[in-house]
Amino acid sequence: MGLEVSESPDPSGAAAESPGEAEEFEELRPLLFSIAYRILGSVGEAEDAVQETWLRFAASATRPTSTKAFLSATVTRIAIDVLRSARVRREEYVGPWFPEPLLSDPYQDPARAVELADSVSMAALLLLERLSPLERAVFVLREVFGFGFDEVAAAVGRSESACRQLLVRGRRHMADGRQRFAADRRERQELARRFFEAMQDGDIDGLQGLLAADVELVRDGGGKTPQFARPVVGAANVARVLGTVYPWLMRIDVFFERQEVNAQPGAVLRDRDGRILQTLVLDVLDGQIQAIRGVSNPDKLGHLGPVADAWALDREVKKLRRRPS
């Protein structure tokens, strides 16, 4: 599938959008978003990349031989450019940086369901951050979506042999950071159910029994919400924090909405009015929870709905805790 184009001359000399073009694009939009999101780790930036892809497609005076190849290559190039500039901003980010949470991947392909689910997890996206923009794009197109090397080469503007080398390096970086003994979906969901029940009940001992000895609790607030000064490490410490903090949140009517986040067990925390306070995702390996990652930066939650005022809720909890028992 190449990127050759065939001429579709317009008598006026200008490109014109046709109903067929719009329909073709909409059919491919889920794929384009999924490619861009995995390269960028940002819902907003991925949506912008898809929109820019449409503008270029609609403005073109030529029709591609393969619309899928053309659009996939276009969105990939745009995403690579955006990622290069985004990396500078991420170096100045306050606190830990996590990808924007994704509750549902719009692109589904039963033949690649495992690759798609694994590649969108928080753990995998954080590993992808270790790759250069070109390595990341090549890895996503080839390993996740199964594009041929000719298509990958055309998309990133490198030779096929260069893309093979980029893929080898990308695979090595990804393999170095992966942990073994990933749990199956049923095991993850059962562990998550017990975890969230124990957290709501303030069952510190119950929580500790579900956590790996070196578990980490990390939250991305971007300096815009109350957050821990540093990651909380160790089963006893994490269990104590979760078993103490979250029961207080329940007392001011913060509630959990259990659901998968980035294809992993997790939850959305909402205030009494249903506004989003935070997302949580659990990294489950070898029958234990290895990491708990929260995203509370309001800039990363707006695509999910109205965002809660975390500072106001924090003041409310502190006021409640000061009251005589």
Side-chain angles (χ1 to χ4, degrees):
M1 200 185 298
L3 297 178
E4 298 84 1
V5 295
S6 57
E7 296 293 333
S8 295
D10 177 42
S12 68
E17 174 191 336
S18 70
E21 285 180 336
E23 290 172 2
E24 278 186 291
F25 185 86
E26 287 306 315
E27 287 179 3
L28 291 166
R29 182 187 288 273
L31 171 63
L32 303 179
F33 172 85
S34 294
I35 291 171
Y37 176 76
R38 284 164 174 81
I39 294 174
L40 294 166
S42 165
V43 172
E45 289 175 346
E47 289 175 342
D48 289 345
V50 172
Q51 182 61 22
E52 177 63 24
T53 299
W54 162 247
L55 293 175
R56 295 186 188 184
F57 180 53
S60 175
T62 58
R63 291 299 302 274
T65 302
S66 167
T67 302
K68 177 182 176 183
F70 177 83
L71 294 177
S72 298
T74 302
V75 81
T76 297
R77 292 171 188 153
I78 293 169
I80 289 171
D81 289 341
V82 173
L83 182 60
R84 285 171 173 153
S85 61
R87 288 199 159 193
V88 176
R89 298 194 302 273
R90 289 175 192 177
E91 289 175 359
E92 302 171 351
Y93 195 80
V94 177
W97 180 93
F98 290 156
E100 291 182 10
L102 187 68
L103 301 186
S104 177
D105 188 355
Y107 179 72
Q108 302 295 323
D109 179 356
R112 305 194 66 81
V114 174
E115 292 90 342
L116 290 169
D118 180 65
S119 65
V120 83
S121 70
M122 282 281 183
L125 290 171
L126 288 171
L127 286 178
L128 283 170
E129 286 291 307
R130 301 182 177 192
L131 277 57
S132 71
L134 280 178
E135 288 171 348
R136 186 164 180 165
V138 169
F139 186 92
V140 166
L141 291 176
R142 178 63 182 172
E143 292 290 281
V144 180
F145 294 96
F147 281 72
F149 275 108
D150 58 334
E151 300 168 296
V152 175
V156 302
R158 296 292 188 274
S159 68
E160 289 188 37
S161 61
C163 288
R164 292 179 189 275
Q165 293 174 359
L166 287 166
L167 181 61
V168 168
R169 290 202 298 268
R171 283 173 173 166
R172 187 185 308 124
H173 287 308
M174 295 294 285
D176 288 345
R178 285 189 186 278
Q179 300 187 57
R180 299 169 60 197
F181 312 116
D184 64 25
R185 189 174 187 277
R186 183 177 300 178
E187 181 184 352
R188 292 198 307 264
Q189 294 299 332
E190 173 59 21
L191 201 59
R193 181 190 66 78
R194 293 164 58 196
F195 170 82
F196 285 112
E197 286 181 358
M199 193 162 71
Q200 287 180 293
D201 294 341
D203 182 359
I204 295 175
D205 291 338
L207 283 167
Q208 189 168 342
L210 302 173
L211 304 174
D214 57 350
V215 64
E216 286 191 343
L217 170 62
V218 190
R219 189 164 69 184
D220 172 356
K224 299 183 178 183
T225 62
Q227 63 188 83
F228 309 122
R230 58 184 62 84
V232 182
V233 180
N237 294 331
V238 171
R240 185 170 57 254
V241 168
L242 293 176
T244 302
V245 171
Y246 285 94
W248 282 104
L249 289 174
M250 304 303 118
R251 292 181 64 177
I252 60 167
D253 300 322
V254 169
F255 62 94
F256 288 96
E257 186 180 87
R258 284 270 315 276
Q259 59 183 286
E260 288 196 342
V261 179
N262 287 80
Q264 298 292 309
V268 177
L269 275 67
R270 298 181 182 272
D271 69 7
R272 60 175 61 91
D273 297 316
R275 294 172 298 192
I276 299 169
L277 174 63
Q278 183 181 189
T279 61
L280 285 177
V281 63
L282 309 181
D283 191 355
V284 179
L285 294 168
D286 197 19
Q288 294 180 308
I289 297 170
Q290 305 285 336
I292 304 160
R293 299 185 178 94
V295 175
S296 59
N297 183 342
D299 296 342
K300 295 186 175 185
L301 299 176
H303 64 283
L304 302 178
V307 179
D309 185 340
W311 292 106
L313 293 172
D314 184 61
R315 290 192 296 270
E316 194 172 346
V317 167
K318 289 177 178 177
K319 183 177 179 180
L320 183 63
R321 296 183 72 169
R322 286 196 297 267
R323 290 179 184 172
S325 57

